[in-house]
Amino acid sequence: MLEAFLVSTGVVALAEMGDKTQLLALLLAARYRRPVPIVLGIAAATLANHALAAAFGGWLATLTGPQVLRWLLAASFAAMGAWMLFPDSASDFERSRRLGVFGTTLLAFFLVEIGDKTQIATVALAARYAFLPAVVAGTTLGMLIANVPVVYAGERLLQRLPMKLLRRVAAAAFVALGVLALVA
C-alpha cells in the first residue's frame, strides 16, 4: 500500500513537470490571482479524473493474466518515458466566467487531464498495484506537488527550473518502472 502511494506520487509529480496542466495552472494563476480556489479546483478535478482512471486500470488488470499484464505495463511505462521527452504546448484554456475561479479550474483541469500523461500513468499504476485508493491518493498528491508551487510562484519558478532535464529524469523514471514491471 505504501509503495503504491509513494511510487504513484513520484511518477505523477515527475510526469507533470512542463505538462500542459502545469501551463494551465500558470495561466489560471496569472488570470485570477486567487490561489486557494485554483488549488482546490486542481485537487478536486485530479481526484475525480484519477479515480476514474484508476478504476479503469483496476478493471484492465482483471481482464488479463499476470504475464500479459506485465508486458502491457512494461510497454506502457516505456511509451510514457518516450512521451515525456516531448514537451506539451499551451492551448486555449479559457472557460466561462460564470463558473468562477474554482469551477473554471475544476472543469478545465478535468478536461485537460483526459488522455494526458498523468491520467495514462494512473491507469498503468492502478493496473500494477491492487490498492486503488493509494494510487489515486498518490497521483493526486503528485499533481499537487507539481502544480501548487506554479500557482503560488508562477512564471518565476518555471523560468528557473531546467525543464529539459526534468523531462529527461521523468522519462528515465518511466523506463525504469517499465523494466521493474518485467522483472518484479
Side-chain angles (χ1 to χ4, degrees):
M1 178 170 86
L2 183 60
E3 178 186 352
F5 174 76
L6 294 174
V7 169
S8 297
T9 300
V11 163
V12 169
L14 283 172
E16 186 63 12
M17 294 299 162
D19 192 67
K20 65 181 172 254
T21 46
Q22 203 171 43
L23 295 172
L24 175 59
L26 178 62
L27 292 173
L28 290 167
R31 174 168 183 176
Y32 293 111
R33 300 188 190 285
R34 294 188 49 214
V36 172
I38 293 170
V39 169
L40 292 174
I42 292 169
T46 302
L47 189 59
N49 189 294
H50 288 194
L52 291 171
F56 179 73
W59 174 74
L60 185 63
T62 65
L63 295 179
T64 62
Q67 286 299 93
V68 172
L69 183 59
R70 285 175 59 180
W71 283 100
L72 284 173
L73 288 172
S76 67
F77 281 126
M80 288 297 299
W83 191 2
M84 285 302 303
L85 295 174
F86 302 98
D88 288 321
S89 60
S91 62
D92 183 17
F93 295 118
E94 290 291 317
R95 300 288 177 232
S96 170
R97 291 176 193 244
R98 294 176 291 167
L99 297 175
V101 178
F102 174 81
T104 298
T105 304
L106 176 75
L107 180 61
F109 260 80
F110 186 86
L111 293 175
V112 168
E113 260 304 283
I114 294 172
D116 194 55
K117 290 176 232 170
T118 51
Q119 186 190 45
I120 294 168
T122 302
V123 170
L125 289 161
R128 168 79 170 89
Y129 296 105
F131 196 65
L132 299 185
V135 171
V136 174
T139 59
T140 301
L141 179 60
M143 185 72 89
L144 292 172
I145 287 169
N147 285 299
V148 169
V150 171
V151 171
Y152 282 95
E155 197 168 325
R156 289 186 311 261
L157 181 65
L158 288 177
Q159 289 174 350
R160 290 196 170 106
L161 288 174
M163 286 299 158
K164 193 172 189 176
L165 174 63
L166 289 172
R167 280 194 299 277
R168 287 179 178 166
V169 168
F174 275 108
V175 170
L177 284 170
V179 170
L180 285 173
L182 285 177
V183 297

